[in-house]
């Protein structure tokens, strides 16, 4: 008697392989700007997402490009650009999320953690000076560990439509 062997396991194996591939792609993407990643995933699935944001609403900056070296003082061109973001958000009733990732080395006045936080709040103040109220500005600073090297700070500014979360 000859027995037939089932090949149904191949489909399950293919599903597992694709899930692992997607997991590793997302793990690699964690090194990128998280707000841009989230906006890209939202756009890839054909919608604005629950908060109504699109990838056009995210602007990314390196701290070295918009701040004086070792300080939380904005360069004049960056200050005007951030004021314009605040003014546009105030006109449309949008919210703004300022997200900081990473840190630079310490300065003469501040250690690297204080410098990262001061720069994020300086950006929020510049946006506020464009006419957006404090209630519509959110600042996020993910955990920073001393064991991670200070490879530079990246700051994202995302404009979101709708009321602030409660």
């Amino acid at each position: 008697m000859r027995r037939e062997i089932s090949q149904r396991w191949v489909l399950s194996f293919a599903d597992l392989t694709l899930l692992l591939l997607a997991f590793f792609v997302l793990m690699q993407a964690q090194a990128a700007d998280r707000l841009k990643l989230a906006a890209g995933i939202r756009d890839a699935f054909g919608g604005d997402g629950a908060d109504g944001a699109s990838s056009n609403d995210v602007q990314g900056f390196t701290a070295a490009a918009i701040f004086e070296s070792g300080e939380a003082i904005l360069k004049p061109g960056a200050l005007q650009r951030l004021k314009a973001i605040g003014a546009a958000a105030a006109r449309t009733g949008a919210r703004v999320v300022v997200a900081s990732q990473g840190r630079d080395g310490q300065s003469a006045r501040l250690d690297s953690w204080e410098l990262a936080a001061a720069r994020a709040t300086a950006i929020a103040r510049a946006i506020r000076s464009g006419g957006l109220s404090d209630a519509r500005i959110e600042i996020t600073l993910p955990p920073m560990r001393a064991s991670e090297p200070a490879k530079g700070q990246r700051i994202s500014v995302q404009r979101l439509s709708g009321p602030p979360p409660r």
Side-chain angles (χ1 to χ4, degrees), residues 11-27:
L11 185 59
S12 295
F13 181 74
D15 284 344
L16 176 65
T17 305
L18 288 174
L19 284 172
L20 283 173
L21 175 67
F23 172 75
F24 286 117
V25 166
L26 285 175
M27 289 297 293

Side-chain angles (χ1 to χ4, degrees), residues 131-147:
L132 191 63
S133 70
D134 286 345
R136 306 204 59 80
I137 300 171
E138 179 182 334
I139 300 172
T140 62
L141 295 165
M144 294 181 277
R145 294 172 185 83
S147 60

